[in-house]
Structures are given as C-alpha cells and as structure tokens.
C-alpha cells in the first residue's frame, strides 16, 4: 500500500504525530546488555538524570527486588522517552529462557525491535529463540552489536553469524573505530562521518569528525556493499545500480527504511552501552529506519459475531481497538492491565468491550508507565502503550474494543511448562492466602500453571524452568507473605501413542428415572513430535447430534490432559470422532462427555503408550582446558553433543540434554571449571524416555 493512500487523522491535542511514534522492544540472549542499553537511552533522552546500573541494582527497568538481587531481567518493563521530536515507547524484555512469555507477549504488540548481540558471543541460543519469536509476529529489526570494548570482540564475525545462523540479510551501516579496549566510536557509512564519545561526560557529548584518510577506502567499499545488497530487493536502488551510479545518501536512507520495515533487511550498528558509546546513533537509527504505526497501517482480526476476517486501520479517528498484553498486580493500585492501542483512543472512565467474553468493562484510571512508576493520563492515543486500572474481565491476549464496532485480534500463544513442584500452606490459616497468591501470579504469567493432583490432593505449580519456579516461590513468600512448604522440582513429562487405534464405547446408566446414554466411536492416529493434540469431527448423518459434539470434544480433551500411562498430558496425536448414537430421552451432555473420555483411554491403551521427556538445548562456554571434562559430564547426563567450536582460549559446546539430568547443573559446572564456565539453555523438543527410566516412572504412578 502506498503512503499517499494512508489517510488518517491525528487528534488535535495529540502531543506527538502518529507518524513520529515508535513502539520498540529490546531483545537478546541473557547478559547481552539489554537493560544497560535501555538505561543509557533513558539517560541520553533526559528521562533519567542519573544513570542506573544493572550490576549494582540501580537499573530503572529492573525494579523488582528479585531482579536487583540477581542482576537479571524477569518481567518486561515499559517506558517512554523522546528523541528528536519522536516519541519512543520501549519495552525491555528478559533474556533468560524461563521468562520467554514476557518476550512473546511484548513482541505481539511492538512495531519494531532492537536485537542486541554480544560482540564476543555473537548469535547465542536465546538470540535464536527471540529472533524466531520476532519473525512469528513479523517485527522489523535493527541489530546492535554490543560490548565492542571486550577482549575478543569481532564485529564482522557477528554480522556473518546473523547471516548464517539467523538467515537474515544483515546490512552493516557502521564501521567500528578501534577494537576491544581501544574502541572509541563508529563511522557512519551513509553520512560519511565519524562519531567519537567522551567517557568523562558519560558519552553525553558526541564528537562528529570527518572520516580519517586511512578509513576512506573501507567506507567506500562498505557503501558499495550496502547498495548492492539493497538493489536486490529495492527497484529504485536497482535502477542506480544498473546505471552504475551511486545513489545520493538520502535515497539510500529511504530505501534502507523501506526494506527494514518490510523485514527484507536488518541494519547492523555497533557500540558498547556499558562504556557509553554508540547509543545516540542507535536512537537515530530507531527513528530513521524502524516503522511507526502508520507504516504498519492495518491490523488483522475477525468479526466476533460472524467469524469473517476483517481489518482495522490506524488513526485516532477510528473505532477503539487495543490488545491487553500483560497483567500485573501492583501493591498500590491493584490489577494493572497493560494495553497497546491500534486504533482510536482511550479515555479515563470509558466503556470497553471484550469480544472473547462478550462482556463490557470500564477503564478506571489510565496510566502512562515508566517501569514501576505511574503517571495519570486523561487520554491515551492510537499507537501508544499504557496501563489501565479497573478492568475485571480481561486477561493476557484479550482484545478490548468499541462495542459498536467489535473486532477480535489474534491472541498471544505461549509454550507449555516443562517443570513442576508441589506447594502446601504450613497451616490452614495460610491456605486462602496461598490460593489468592497463586491465582494472582497465574493471572500475571500465562506460563505459570496451577493444578490439584486428584490422587494426592497436593497443589502442583508448573513453570518454564528452575529459575522461574524459584522466582515464583520467592514472590509467594516475600510479596504475598505466605508461609508455605515446597517440594523438589519435578520434570513435566508427556505421553504419546505408538500406533493408530480405535474405540467404540457406550456409557449407559439406568437409575429408575431418566437414564444416561452416550455412544462414541473414535479413531486415534500418532503424529510427529511437536504436532500437539487435535480433534476432528467426522460424524455424518446426525448420529451424534450437533449439540453433543462439544461435550465429546471436552471429554477427549480432559482425558488427554490427565493421561493414561502415568498421569501426564498426551500429545502428538489426532483423534477423529467418526460415529456414535444417541437416545432421544436418556442422552445428555454429561453422558457424551463421559463416553468420550472412556473411549479416549480405551483407544490409547490399544495404541500403546510411550513416555516423553523434555530435551533442552544447552550451550556451554568454557576455557579450552576444561573442554574434555565438560564433554564427559554432558555424555554422563545422557546428553548428545551437537557442535563444538574452539576459538582462541574459549570453547563453545552445544548439546541436547534431558531436563531431568540438569537439576543442579550450575553447581556441577562451576566445580568442573573452577567457576570459569557459563551456560544457558532453552527447551528444544520432546523425546521418548529410555525403557528402564519409563518403567520406574510408571511404577511410581
């Protein structure tokens, strides 16, 4: 769609035009410098008068006690700043895989992102994860190679990593000036200027100079490379290229913006946020190359009444449409609902509609958030990110809109938990407090699940990893002041079927009065790993009336959740409902639900069951002298070595290891390497458990 067709109206009292709004996230592997970069941005844009630091617990965006103690980001924090007449709404996301839901829901509502890469580590496992998440939501990206001052920093290698490991068309727009401890600044290829940064002024003063003579040939070469790369995807630059002419810098700049917005290229910049270098040019690139809501222009959804596809265009004058992407319990104001407005505007006290629940709600107070600080606002305009107090019927991923013009936007999808543990209150007086805390935390975090074990009566909490459950436990004790006991973390296994099977099951009860009758015939087929669980209705001729099909589906889903072999959820299969029968008097929803559940378990037993365990993708970085010991330890944990890469004095080991073998791995790794090795991990896939281990687990169950 051409720009001239994008006709929209800014509200008269809107502080910044919609075309000058940027909604961006900062995403990366753990410890790549996301929060530090955000702190520098807030300092240089004048939001903070003092520069916060992660290592001493003063980072504005890491406001939770647990974040300050551990020096990591746990929850995504939103803030707003201004740069050269543009409003930049920023979400700083976690890097640790246990908090991947925070990244997922943030990317859902962002228009663009800065992907940070460590100049030494390059593309790391979690870099790949957040990259996949950004591609899922078609988020345009600028890459920033951080930590250029560190020993072993290699800008060109990281650019090559982005191309080969992420499959992106990386276009470097800068050349680093100096390397490692001698890194002083950058040369901007398009403006043909060198920018140096003054350490004494915390990088606040940017010194612009002409490019030194010895660097001019390199700048010319890189400029030609930029033009050649963009010519492959941009017709205007292609015309210059075919005529062997160099396009003017402003023409190249516009082409870079066009192709960044369409996600065809990834501009790459560099610097060291911790040492105050390269952040201002990064801000310039954000306003130059990342999209505004006007560039995104339309958001797709469905009509909640007809389920027909529909779209909504940007603008303050359009019907109100927003998505609630995060719930947070604030000790001072209660439940906060973070939302991003796609069209229209929000006003304090206005009525909004949730098409999923088909209920209306009232926006109480409307707040502009700066980490955990709140600023009262009367209006929030199109393209902005804010928080509301008072929404009772809204959860993560819900659309909120005008009841007169409803639309249902695509919700956010989240991974399933891989680890569980039991939690019990120490006294009956603590029981209600515990359940209130668990309810509040599960409302905040869609990857945190709570259930009761039917057989033992225990409360089981599940999450994405040991750290995730550790933070949850810590918050229950400290934030909600609950006195409780917890068990050891347990792996969340899954079950699957080995072969196709069918079941023909009747549920019949005669109790003197009206009886119960449900009859279901199903066929079950195994599917590849990662498929999930699907149900298809293939009943013809009304053998099962339509009003009972939903009950059959619910019965199948419940049976799949509780499993057959050892009580774990059943995955990677499809169930077809193929036939059945009903009684005009005795049939009921409950009868068909029970018949379906019985049929599922019967077919599963015929099909033969296998237990699956979560396999983690683990990356270990270690001194070369410890390489042999670490590989031996990995294989002793039933691990499979995928790749070993040795560079200078460091080795990088990539492996697949069962999660059940990784409890306490950090302590073991410290012992092997005398504290010099580090590791990161993320869920990879599920694999069949070895028969001897399966036997032990099923005997326990």
């Amino acid at each position: 769609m051409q720009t001239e067709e994008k006709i929209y109206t800014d509200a008269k009292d809107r502080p910044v035009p919609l075309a000058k709004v940027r909604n961006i996230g900062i995403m990366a592997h753990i410890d790549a410098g996301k929060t530090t970069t955000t702190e520098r941005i807030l300092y240089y844009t004048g939001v903070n008068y003092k520069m916060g630091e992660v290592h001493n617990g003063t980072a504005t965006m890491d406001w939770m006690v647990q974040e300050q103690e551990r020096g990591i980001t746990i929850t995504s924090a939103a803030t707003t700043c201004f740069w050269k007449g543009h409003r930049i709404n920023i979400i700083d996301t976690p890097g640790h895989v246990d908090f991947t839901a925070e990244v997922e829901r943030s990317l859902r509502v962002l228009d663009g992102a800065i992907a940070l890469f460590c100049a030494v580590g390059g593309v790391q496992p979690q870099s790949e994860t957040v990259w996949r998440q950004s591609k899922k939501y078609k988020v345009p990206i600028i890459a920033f190679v951080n930590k250029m001052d560190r020993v072993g920093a290699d800008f060109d290698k990281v650019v090559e990593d982005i191309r080969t490991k992420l499959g992106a068309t990386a276009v470097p727009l800068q050349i680093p000036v100096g390397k490692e401890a001698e890194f002083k600044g950058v040369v901007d290829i398009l403006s043909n200027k060198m920018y140096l940064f003054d350490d004494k002024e915390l990088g606040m003063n940017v010194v612009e100079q002409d490019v030194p003579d010895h660097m001019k040939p390199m700048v010319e070469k890189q400029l030609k490379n930029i033009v050649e790369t963009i010519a492959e995807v941009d017709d205007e630059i292609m015309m210059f290229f075919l005529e062997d002419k160099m396009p003017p810098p402003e023409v190249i700049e516009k082409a870079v913006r066009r192709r960044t917005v369409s996600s065809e290229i990834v501009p790459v910049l560099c610097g060291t946020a911790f040492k105050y270098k390269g952040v201002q040019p990064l801000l310039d690139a954000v306003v130059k190359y990342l999209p505004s809501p006007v560039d995104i222009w339309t958001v797709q959804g469905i009509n909640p009444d007809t389920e027909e596809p529909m779209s909504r265009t940007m603008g303050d004058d359009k019907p109100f449409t927003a998505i609630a992407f995060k719930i947070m319990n604030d000790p001072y104001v209660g439940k906060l609902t973070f939302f991003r407005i796609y069209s229209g505007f929000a006003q304090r006290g206005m009525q909004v509609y949730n098409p999923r629940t088909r209920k209306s709600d009232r926006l109480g107070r409307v707040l502009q958030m700066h980490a955990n600080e709140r600023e009262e606002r009367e209006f929030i305009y199109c393209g902005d990110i804010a928080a509301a107090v008072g929404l009772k019927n809204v959860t993560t991923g819900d659309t909120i809109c005008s009841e007169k013009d409803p639309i249902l936007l695509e919700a956010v999808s989240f991974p399933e938990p891989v680890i569980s543990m039991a939690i019990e209150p120490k006294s009956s007086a603590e029981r209600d407090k515990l359940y209130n805390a668990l309810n509040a935390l599960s409302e905040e975090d869609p990857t945190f699940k709570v259930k009761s074990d039917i057989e033992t009566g225990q409360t089981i909490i599940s999450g994405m990893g040991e750290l995730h459950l550790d933070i949850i436990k810590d918050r229950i004790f400290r934030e909600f002041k609950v006195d409780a006991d917890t068990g050891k973390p347990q792996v969340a296994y899954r079950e699957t079927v080995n072969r196709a099977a069918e079941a023909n099951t009747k549920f019949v009860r005669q109790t003197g009065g009206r009886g119960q009758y449900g009859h279901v015939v199903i066929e079950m087929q195994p599917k590849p790993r990662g498929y999930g669980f699907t149900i298809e209705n293939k009943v013809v001729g009304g053998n099962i009336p339509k009003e009972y099909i939903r009950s059959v589906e619910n019965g199948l889903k419940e049976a799949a959740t509780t499993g057959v072999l050892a009580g774990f959820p059943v995955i990677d299969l499809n169930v077809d409902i193929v036939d059945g029968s009903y009684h005009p008097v005795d049939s009921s929803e409950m009868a068909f639900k029970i018949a379906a559940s019985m049929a599922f378990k019967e077919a599963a037993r015929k099909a033969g069951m296998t237990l699956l365990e979560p396999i983690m993708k683990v990356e270990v970085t270690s001194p070369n002298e410890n390489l042999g010991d670490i590989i031996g330890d990995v294989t002793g944990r039933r691990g499979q070595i995928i790749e070993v890469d040795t560079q200078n004095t460091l080795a990088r080991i990539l492996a697949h290891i069962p999660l059940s073998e990784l409890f306490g791995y950090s302590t073991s790794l410290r012992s092997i390497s005398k504290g010099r090795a580090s590791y990161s991990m993320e869920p990879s896939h599920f694999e069949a458990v070895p028969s001897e281990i399966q036997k032990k687990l099923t005997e326990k169950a």
Side-chain angles (χ1 to χ4, degrees):
M1 190 181 284
Q2 297 300 310
T3 307
E4 55 266 27
E5 293 179 290
K6 295 179 179 177
I7 301 165
Y8 67 95
T9 307
D10 280 333
K12 281 185 282 187
D13 50 356
R14 183 187 180 97
V16 175
L18 186 58
K20 291 193 172 184
V21 171
R22 301 288 182 272
N23 289 311
I24 67 164
I26 300 185
M27 60 182 204
H29 184 85
I30 190 168
D31 204 30
K34 295 177 296 300
T35 302
T36 300
T37 302
T38 310
E39 292 298 320
R40 302 302 183 253
I41 288 172
L42 295 179
Y43 184 70
Y44 297 138
T45 56
V47 173
N48 286 355
Y49 68 92
K50 186 180 176 186
M51 203 176 280
E53 300 290 4
V54 174
H55 59 270
N56 59 23
T58 58
T60 306
M61 305 302 275
D62 283 352
W63 56 270
M64 287 175 69
V65 176
Q66 291 84 358
E67 293 177 315
Q68 292 165 359
E69 286 177 349
R70 291 166 172 82
I72 61 169
T73 301
I74 293 167
T75 183
S76 52
T79 191
T80 296
C81 61
F82 294 86
W83 184 254
K84 297 186 176 178
H86 291 71
R87 180 191 198 118
I88 305 176
N89 297 316
I90 303 172
I91 296 182
D92 172 33
T93 63
H96 201 287
V97 67
D98 285 20
F99 310 106
T100 187
E102 291 289 335
V103 184
E104 187 85 24
R105 59 181 168 194
S106 300
L107 286 169
R108 171 66 183 85
V109 297
L110 294 173
D111 300 330
I114 299 171
L116 255 67
F117 299 94
C118 172
V120 181
V123 174
Q124 296 165 287
Q126 191 62 10
S127 314
E128 297 180 47
T129 303
V130 295
W131 195 272
R132 282 196 303 271
Q133 288 172 308
S134 68
K135 294 296 111 184
K136 176 178 171 183
Y137 296 112
K138 299 180 176 66
V139 178
I141 290 171
I142 285 176
F144 183 67
V145 181
N146 194 25
K147 304 192 178 185
M148 287 295 297
D149 59 310
R150 283 186 54 189
V151 175
D154 190 335
F155 179 68
D156 294 333
K157 182 184 177 298
V158 179
V159 171
E160 191 55 33
D161 264 7
I162 295 170
R163 288 172 179 153
T164 55
K165 293 183 180 178
L166 302 177
T169 305
V171 180
L173 300 183
Q174 294 177 343
I175 298 170
V177 178
K179 62 183 295 188
E180 298 177 352
E182 299 302 312
F183 177 75
K184 296 183 180 68
V186 297
V187 168
D188 184 273
I189 297 166
L190 297 187
S191 67
N192 200 29
K193 291 290 180 183
M194 180 167 72
Y195 297 99
L196 304 178
F197 303 85
D198 185 356
D199 284 355
K200 291 175 185 173
E201 296 291 324
L202 302 180
M204 185 62 90
N205 294 330
V206 183
V207 181
E208 182 183 306
Q209 295 181 359
D210 290 332
V211 177
D213 290 341
H214 73 277
M215 292 189 75
K216 284 179 180 176
M218 197 188 310
V219 173
E220 287 175 22
K221 181 186 174 186
Q222 293 289 44
L223 184 58
K224 285 179 183 175
N225 289 342
I226 291 171
V227 171
E228 279 182 34
T229 305
I230 298 175
E232 293 176 14
V233 291
D234 192 274
D235 293 342
E236 187 178 359
I237 301 298
M238 176 59 83
M239 295 306 294
F240 281 97
F241 184 70
L242 293 174
E243 292 170 11
D244 204 21
K245 292 180 182 175
M246 180 57 67
E250 61 273 14
V251 172
I252 301 174
E253 217 167 77
K254 285 179 182 175
V256 170
R257 177 179 172 77
R258 278 195 301 273
R259 299 309 154 195
T260 303
V261 169
S262 62
S263 295
E264 290 169 283
I265 66 167
V266 176
V268 187
L269 295 86
C270 66
T272 167
F274 182 59
K275 295 291 180 68
Y276 326 114
K277 297 177 177 70
V279 177
Q280 292 94 327
L282 176 62
L283 281 166
D284 290 339
V286 166
V287 300
K288 279 182 188 174
Y289 306 127
L290 286 181
S292 74
V294 178
D295 295 297
I296 305 302
W297 191 233
T298 59
V299 59
Q300 305 301 321
I302 60 167
N303 184 313
D305 299 320
T306 65
E307 297 192 358
E308 292 290 317
M310 64 183 294
S311 62
R312 184 111 332 139
T313 52
M314 306 286 169
D316 296 320
D317 57 336
K318 304 294 190 298
F320 173 70
T321 308
I323 194 161
F325 67 95
K326 179 180 169 73
I327 307 293
M328 189 176 93
N329 288 288
D330 188 294
Y332 301 104
V333 297
K335 180 179 167 183
L336 276 177
T337 305
F338 285 73
F339 62 95
R340 150 77 195 267
I341 301 182
Y342 285 97
S343 64
F345 62 87
Q347 183 178 9
R348 185 174 62 191
M350 73 184 274
Q351 287 287 121
V352 295
Y353 178 67
N354 183 342
R356 181 184 65 83
T357 60
R358 299 188 181 273
K359 289 181 179 178
S360 292
D361 237 325
R362 182 176 168 274
L363 284 179
R365 293 158 65 195
V366 181
L367 309 169
Q368 188 75 61
M369 298 299 292
H370 176 53
N372 65 330
E373 294 177 9
R374 302 165 295 277
E375 179 191 332
E376 296 270 356
R377 294 279 297 277
E378 182 69 29
F379 292 96
I380 301 289
Y381 297 99
C382 175
D384 279 348
I385 291 170
V389 181
L391 293 178
K392 295 172 185 169
N393 303 308
V394 174
T395 189
T396 301
D398 278 352
T399 303
I400 48 175
C401 58
S402 161
E403 192 165 0
K404 290 180 183 175
D405 297 281
I407 183 173
L408 184 61
L409 304 180
E410 181 193 358
V412 193
S413 57
F414 298 105
E416 286 297 310
V418 295
I419 191 168
S420 305
M421 72 179 178
I423 185 165
E424 290 298 324
K426 284 192 175 177
S427 66
S428 55
E430 296 288 301
R431 190 171 297 278
D432 286 346
K433 281 169 67 180
L434 174 62
Y435 290 152
N436 289 338
L438 294 176
N439 187 50
L441 291 168
S442 61
E443 196 174 40
E444 277 188 24
D445 184 351
T447 58
F448 172 60
K449 307 283 188 189
V450 183
K451 69 173 185 178
S452 285
D453 189 303
I454 299 168
E455 292 179 6
T456 65
Q458 284 183 310
T459 301
I460 308 294
I461 59 175
S462 305
M464 298 305 298
E466 275 187 281
L467 179 61
H468 188 197
L469 289 186
D470 190 40
I471 299 293
I472 292 284
K473 192 168 66 171
D474 195 51
R475 289 187 66 190
I476 289 169
F477 297 160
R478 283 209 272 191
E479 199 174 308
F480 295 92
K481 297 179 172 55
V482 177
D483 204 7
D485 291 317
T486 56
K488 286 184 179 179
Q490 303 288 327
V491 174
Y493 292 94
R494 299 287 186 270
E495 299 176 15
T496 194
V497 295
N498 297 331
R499 53 190 173 271
E502 65 172 40
N504 185 337
T505 307
K506 284 183 182 178
F507 173 68
V508 183
R509 289 283 185 277
Q510 291 298 332
T511 54
R514 181 180 170 181
Q516 295 283 353
Y517 182 93
H519 175 208
V520 177
V521 182
I522 63 167
E523 290 178 354
M524 187 179 281
Q525 303 91 20
K527 292 291 181 181
R529 294 289 166 267
Y531 178 84
F533 172 54
T534 54
I535 301 170
E536 286 187 48
N537 175 24
K538 293 187 176 179
V539 177
V540 292
N543 288 356
I544 299 178
K546 279 187 179 177
E547 61 264 31
Y548 296 135
I549 293 294
R550 178 64 61 86
S551 299
V552 173
E553 290 175 349
N554 288 341
L556 293 171
K557 285 174 186 172
E558 280 190 20
T561 304
T562 54
V564 177
L565 191 63
F568 298 108
V570 186
I571 60 168
D572 300 340
L573 77 157
N574 174 71
V575 176
D576 291 331
I577 310 165
V578 293
D579 203 359
S581 63
Y582 72 102
H583 190 281
V585 177
D586 291 350
S587 283
S588 66
E589 290 182 358
M590 180 57 70
F592 272 102
K593 185 178 177 182
I594 293 169
S597 178
M598 290 165 61
F600 182 93
K601 291 181 178 179
E602 184 187 334
R605 289 188 192 99
K606 287 181 184 175
M609 303 295 291
T610 295
L611 211 56
L612 302 175
E613 62 180 341
I615 305 296
M616 309 301 283
K617 183 180 180 182
V618 181
E619 184 184 74
V620 182
T621 305
S622 160
N624 279 332
E625 62 257 34
N626 303 121
L627 181 60
D629 291 337
I630 288 171
I631 288 175
D633 184 62
V634 166
T635 53
R637 294 173 185 271
R638 297 194 286 125
Q640 181 185 358
I641 303 293
I642 305 300
E643 184 185 319
V644 176
D645 183 19
T646 53
Q647 294 171 3
N648 301 324
T649 59
L650 284 179
R652 178 176 157 271
I653 304 115
L654 200 62
H656 283 155
I657 308 175
L659 176 60
S660 59
E661 303 287 343
L662 285 168
F663 292 123
Y665 184 57
S666 55
T667 306
S668 175
L669 188 64
R670 273 198 300 270
S671 173
I672 291 169
S673 66
K674 298 182 177 62
R676 296 170 67 199
S678 62
Y679 82 104
S680 63
M681 65 178 180
E682 62 175 331
S684 175
H685 60 282
F686 279 87
E687 266 182 22
V689 173
S691 55
E692 65 275 11
I693 297 176
Q694 176 163 317
K695 189 178 177 184
K696 286 179 189 173
L697 290 166
T698 49
E699 281 172 359
K700 279 184 190 176

